[in-house]
Amino acid sequence: MTETLTERSQKILEAIIEEYIATAQPVGSKALARNHDIKLSPASVRNVMAELEELGYLASPHTSAGRIPTEKGYRFYVDTLLQVNDLNSRQKDQIELQYQQHGLQMADMLREASRTLSSVSHYTGLVMVPRLKVTIFRHIEFVRLSPRQILAVFVTQSGLVQNKLVEIDEELTPRDLEQITNYLNHTMTGLSIQEVRARIVAEMANEKALYDHLLRRTFALSTAALVDETTGDIIIEGTSYFLEQPEFSNLKCMKRIVQTFEQKNILIDLLDRGLDTEGVQVIIGSETKYSELADCSLITAAYSGKRGTLGTLGVIGPNRMPYSTIIPIVDYTATLISRLLDTDND
Amino acid sequence: MTETLTERSQKILEAIIEEYIATAQPVGSKALARNHDIKLSPASVRNVMAELEELGYLASPHTSAGRIPTEKGYRFYVDTLLQVNDLNSRQKDQIELQYQQHGLQMADMLREASRTLSSVSHYTGLVMVPRLKVTIFRHIEFVRLSPRQILAVFVTQSGLVQNKLVEIDEELTPRDLEQITNYLNHTMTGLSIQEVRARIVAEMANEKALYDHLLRRTFALSTAALVDETTGDIIIEGTSYFLEQPEFSNLKCMKRIVQTFEQKNILIDLLDRGLDTEGVQVIIGSETKYSELADCSLITAAYSGKRGTLGTLGVIGPNRMPYSTIIPIVDYTATLISRLLDTDND
DNA sequence: TTTGGCACTCAACACAAAGGAGTGCTAAAG
DNA sequence: CTTTAGCACTCCTTTGTGTTGAGTGCCAAA
């Protein structure tokens, strides 16, 4: 809207937001003029505040309270005022320490990431488990549970194990299965699942292949086994930190948020949005597009393995979050996880 | 302590507890005499109440409030007063319906069980995932992640997939692995993991076997792969129901409980206690031995597969729970899960 | 043994007054 | 023209004070 915000206004807006983040109390002109090395009288501060409110960056709960930031205020703060410091080495160590455990498998590592995000930030940690299609084929195994039921156990390059129950139309003998397994493990290793599927389609298009009974079955089975899960999985840790936030002391609204977490799908959608984004992304309040999370903000970043983005991770908390400290935490964690996934099991 | 409780006292105690369960309000003599077809005047009821309080079954928050049950009161109620009705067929259908989905794997089924327990009872559902040692060996597969790292993927009879990263001392070639896999899959299928381990120990004791290089490696690897996890896993669903309970409206205590849930280990311990117990078990308040859960009660039951008990499931809520409706829900769910695990994938 | 009556207790609720943090406006000072 | 001190005003919050009413314990009568 209005592109004019004097440097002084910006400085005051920043001070108000930081004060509010620290105290969770509406910020008044007097306290502000006193604490934040602002060389102005409370009266002048008031003038600026009124102006900022007019422009929509601030709001006042009632006449005789101070001001609180609006979403627009937070957005401006995050976009232009905020300068994120790097973590100091002590903080980096604190995060890194959690992954020193011997031979963590990917699943454990992701859970640990969520836990660490939560405990370091004191908000709720979120980690999206990589979708099947972006993982890299390493090994597949079929176990016959019954004549028509095959359990496909699929190991990705990074040691993530996914399994899926496949119902088949025609019976397969153990011998058939063994051949199929061998074929897939020899031809597909190292390809991404997307590539594997493309390859299968390509081979099937090759008419000759269709005459090969084994190949046809292989395609049928592996297509079924590698079909994409519609919904990803997400690891949520530290929900209890939400209970500490004064803005959610209202049980009614607290419950709505916890329920939203339990359903997971909304969070999955929000994390998905960060998949194609470079660096850290901040989603504030109604930008989530979900009314349940109107008072929540997310800070997310994508992590990647050897071959591109795998998933996203982040932190969710109230709008009033200390962005300057959380952003580098999320950023560093994403980088760290990416590095670990890259070097591990090479 | 005192074994004498007249029939009249018992009847009044029962009425008080049921009234309190329904309303969450201290129960007074007048309301009680009115509603619960008790043919006594409020004054007489008061006399009995005073007596029950003396004996420790009731407590009064303050002089001019009614009475609330103590733990001892609940315990007596559950042990001798309570008569649980069977579920009617509508309720059974409501539970059963959740499992009609095509080809659920065991893990999905257990999650569904937890979810259903929660949604039907309106409290928090708990399901303990079977410990490795009680599951039945169906198939094992080793995937080499690096020369010294082997991923052991292990499929149980019921389709549960567990995997474990094993670090080995001496390198194994793919050919070695294949032989080991074949050996294990041919000799061990159908045995419980406990039996598999016993078998391995027995074979190793047989001195001749030690000269067989392959066998020795097999034992080393499979011992490592099948080593018991120290801590089981638990599926918790419906934490948000806790936020509805008026007794936990105090955020401080609410947070302590949610944190306890997040750590999981306490709940695992509590569910473990029900492993060797037949039928439904009720743990009330301080009987949990955990101060964090002093105001919570658990209702648990063990479920089993073809070959004995696999794990436990149940519901956790405030002491003030409608035991008469929850107990049959837990009971029926345990029976149902056991039946499904028995018939499925045979 | 049961019950009605009665004095007593005490949380909960409502209402009023005091207190205080903060605002907007105006007029004087820089 | 900008900044600031002063001041009246707003309105939430806190505190205090009755008042209400549900519930109790006890006693004496049925």
Side-chain angles (χ1 to χ4, degrees):
Chain A
M1 309 193 180
T2 342
E3 59 291 82
T4 49
L5 261 196
T6 67
E7 188 158 347
R8 192 179 66 173
S9 299
Q10 295 193 10
K11 186 138 192 246
I12 286 178
L13 178 57
E14 184 177 5
I16 291 172
I17 292 180
E18 281 170 3
E19 181 74 11
Y20 183 68
I21 286 174
T23 64
Q25 299 292 330
V27 184
S29 56
K30 208 183 294 176
L32 197 71
R34 213 178 324 117
N35 299 327
H36 285 263
D37 72 332
I38 286 167
K39 290 146 196 62
L40 287 172
S41 71
S44 306
V45 173
R46 277 205 288 282
N47 287 331
V48 177
M49 279 169 134
E51 183 194 336
L52 286 169
E53 179 165 0
E54 188 107 5
L55 294 172
Y57 295 100
L58 295 178
S60 31
H62 54 83
T63 35
S64 73
R67 302 302 212 294
I68 59 175
T70 61
E71 271 180 33
K72 185 178 175 189
Y74 284 118
R75 174 48 65 196
F76 185 77
Y77 173 73
V78 168
D79 285 346
T80 70
L81 300 176
L82 181 69
Q83 51 181 12
V84 295
N85 346 38
D86 270 1
L87 298 178
N88 62 42
S89 57
R90 206 184 51 77
Q91 294 172 301
K92 287 185 181 175
D93 286 351
Q94 192 191 349
I95 296 175
E96 211 146 344
L97 208 70
Q98 308 300 320
Y99 305 96
Q100 299 303 340
Q101 304 166 46
H102 56 289
L104 276 181
Q105 286 177 54
M106 191 198 215
D108 301 324
M109 202 159 79
L110 295 182
R111 177 159 295 277
E112 195 50 55
S114 188
R115 213 168 269 163
T116 306
L117 276 171
S118 168
S119 68
V120 173
S121 70
H122 283 80
Y123 293 94
T124 303
L126 307 173
V127 174
M128 174 101 209
V129 176
R131 290 281 165 76
L132 191 57
K133 70 174 178 204
V134 297
T135 59
I136 295 178
F137 187 100
R138 165 152 226 158
H139 190 92
I140 200 165
E141 197 68 32
F142 297 103
V143 181
R144 262 175 102 232
L145 293 183
S146 74
R148 292 288 163 91
Q149 284 190 320
I150 309 279
L151 182 70
V153 180
F154 165 67
V155 182
T156 73
Q157 195 76 12
S158 40
L160 198 67
V161 179
Q162 311 223 18
N163 52 290
K164 180 167 289 170
L165 196 66
V166 181
E167 310 260 357
I168 50 171
D169 295 333
E170 52 178 341
E171 288 194 18
L172 288 168
T173 65
R175 175 130 196 92
D176 289 336
L177 274 184
E178 201 183 314
Q179 282 186 283
I180 293 173
T181 308
N182 283 338
Y183 172 78
L184 288 174
N185 284 333
H186 279 106
T187 54
M188 302 301 184
T189 303
L191 301 181
S192 81
I193 297 304
Q194 274 179 312
E195 289 166 338
V196 170
R197 275 204 295 259
R199 179 93 161 248
I200 289 172
V201 171
E203 300 257 359
M204 281 176 82
N206 178 349
E207 287 161 58
K208 273 186 237 143
L210 286 178
Y211 292 99
D212 183 335
H213 196 61
L214 173 66
L215 264 187
R216 215 175 53 209
R217 291 179 158 197
T218 304
F219 297 146
L221 186 55
S222 54
T223 307
L226 298 179
V227 92
D228 229 0
E229 351 73 303
T230 47
T231 167
D233 197 17
I234 195 176
I235 303 168
I236 305 171
E237 293 281 339
T239 309
S240 61
Y241 282 117
F242 257 87
L243 295 169
E244 302 184 335
Q245 303 307 325
E247 40 264 84
F248 302 121
S249 57
N250 171 5
L251 277 178
K252 200 89 183 168
C253 106
M254 187 62 231
K255 194 189 170 213
R256 220 172 45 173
I257 292 171
V258 174
Q259 274 180 329
T260 307
F261 285 11
E262 282 180 345
Q263 280 167 243
K264 292 189 171 183
N265 53 337
I266 287 180
L267 292 183
I268 289 172
D269 175 46
L270 287 169
L271 284 186
D272 270 352
R273 289 194 209 161
L275 268 176
D276 311 314
T277 314
E278 189 76 13
V280 179
Q281 200 185 15
V282 179
I283 305 174
I284 298 171
S286 65
E287 292 170 9
T288 59
K289 301 267 169 60
Y290 292 102
S291 62
E292 300 92 319
L293 300 181
D295 302 313
C296 295
S297 290
L298 284 94
I299 300 172
T300 67
Y303 65 91
S304 51
K306 251 180 284 290
R307 306 266 298 261
T309 303
L310 287 177
T312 50
L313 50 77
V315 161
I316 184 169
N319 287 342
R320 183 188 62 79
M321 260 198 292
Y323 296 95
S324 62
T325 63
I326 311 271
I327 287 176
I329 289 171
V330 171
D331 193 19
Y332 186 69
T333 303
T335 314
L336 185 62
I337 291 288
S338 303
R339 199 171 73 218
L340 289 172
L341 290 181
D342 227 16
T343 57
D344 215 22
N345 319 319
D346 53 313
Chain B
M1 310 193 178
T2 342
E3 59 291 80
T4 50
L5 263 194
T6 66
E7 189 158 347
R8 192 179 67 173
S9 299
Q10 296 194 11
K11 187 140 194 229
I12 287 177
L13 178 56
E14 183 176 5
I16 290 171
I17 293 181
E18 283 171 0
E19 182 74 13
Y20 183 68
I21 285 175
T23 65
Q25 299 293 328
V27 184
S29 55
K30 208 183 293 176
L32 197 71
R34 213 176 327 115
N35 299 328
H36 285 263
D37 72 332
I38 285 169
K39 291 146 197 62
L40 288 174
S41 70
S44 305
V45 173
R46 276 206 288 282
N47 287 331
V48 177
M49 280 169 134
E51 183 194 337
L52 286 168
E53 179 167 1
E54 187 106 6
L55 293 172
Y57 294 101
L58 296 176
S60 32
H62 54 82
T63 35
S64 73
R67 302 302 210 296
I68 60 174
T70 61
E71 270 180 32
K72 186 179 172 187
Y74 284 118
R75 174 46 67 194
F76 185 78
Y77 174 73
V78 169
D79 284 345
T80 70
L81 300 177
L82 180 70
Q83 51 182 13
V84 296
N85 347 39
D86 270 1
L87 298 177
N88 61 43
S89 57
R90 205 184 51 76
Q91 294 173 302
K92 286 185 182 176
D93 286 351
Q94 193 191 348
I95 295 176
E96 213 147 343
L97 208 71
Q98 308 300 322
Y99 305 96
Q100 299 302 340
Q101 303 168 45
H102 56 290
L104 277 182
Q105 285 176 53
M106 192 200 214
D108 301 325
M109 201 160 77
L110 296 182
R111 176 159 297 277
E112 195 49 55
S114 189
R115 211 168 270 163
T116 306
L117 275 172
S118 169
S119 70
V120 173
S121 71
H122 283 79
Y123 293 93
T124 304
L126 307 173
V127 173
M128 174 100 211
V129 176
R131 291 281 163 76
L132 192 57
K133 70 174 177 199
V134 298
T135 60
I136 295 179
F137 187 100
R138 165 153 226 156
H139 190 92
I140 200 165
E141 197 68 31
F142 297 104
V143 182
R144 262 174 101 234
L145 293 183
S146 74
R148 292 288 163 94
Q149 285 190 318
I150 309 280
L151 182 70
V153 179
F154 165 67
V155 182
T156 73
Q157 194 76 13
S158 38
L160 197 66
V161 178
Q162 311 224 15
N163 53 290
K164 179 168 291 169
L165 197 66
V166 181
E167 310 262 355
I168 51 172
D169 296 332
E170 53 179 342
E171 289 194 16
L172 288 168
T173 66
R175 173 129 196 91
D176 289 335
L177 274 183
E178 201 183 312
Q179 282 186 284
I180 293 174
T181 307
N182 284 338
Y183 173 78
L184 288 174
N185 284 333
H186 280 105
T187 55
M188 302 300 183
T189 303
L191 301 181
S192 81
I193 297 304
Q194 274 180 313
E195 290 166 338
V196 169
R197 275 204 297 260
R199 180 95 162 244
I200 289 172
V201 171
E203 300 256 1
M204 282 176 82
N206 180 348
E207 285 161 58
K208 273 184 236 145
L210 286 178
Y211 291 101
D212 184 335
H213 196 63
L214 172 66
L215 265 186
R216 214 176 55 211
R217 292 180 155 195
T218 305
F219 297 146
L221 186 56
S222 53
T223 306
L226 298 179
V227 93
D228 229 0
E229 351 73 302
T230 47
T231 167
D233 196 17
I234 195 176
I235 303 167
I236 304 171
E237 291 283 338
T239 310
S240 62
Y241 283 118
F242 257 87
L243 295 168
E244 303 184 333
Q245 303 307 323
E247 40 264 84
F248 303 120
S249 58
N250 171 5
L251 278 179
K252 200 86 183 169
C253 107
M254 187 63 229
K255 194 188 170 214
R256 219 172 44 172
I257 292 172
V258 175
Q259 274 181 328
T260 307
F261 285 11
E262 282 180 345
Q263 280 167 245
K264 292 190 172 183
N265 53 337
I266 287 181
L267 291 183
I268 289 172
D269 175 45
L270 287 170
L271 284 186
D272 270 352
R273 289 193 209 162
L275 269 176
D276 310 314
T277 313
E278 189 76 13
V280 179
Q281 200 185 14
V282 179
I283 305 175
I284 298 171
S286 66
E287 292 170 8
T288 60
K289 301 268 168 59
Y290 293 102
S291 63
E292 301 92 321
L293 299 180
D295 301 313
C296 296
S297 291
L298 284 94
I299 300 172
T300 67
Y303 64 91
S304 50
K306 251 181 287 290
R307 304 266 298 260
T309 303
L310 287 178
T312 50
L313 50 77
V315 162
I316 184 168
N319 287 342
R320 184 187 63 78
M321 259 198 292
Y323 295 95
S324 61
T325 62
I326 312 272
I327 286 176
I329 290 171
V330 171
D331 193 20
Y332 186 69
T333 304
T335 313
L336 184 61
I337 291 289
S338 303
R339 199 171 73 218
L340 289 172
L341 290 180
D342 226 17
T343 58
D344 216 21
N345 318 320
D346 51 311

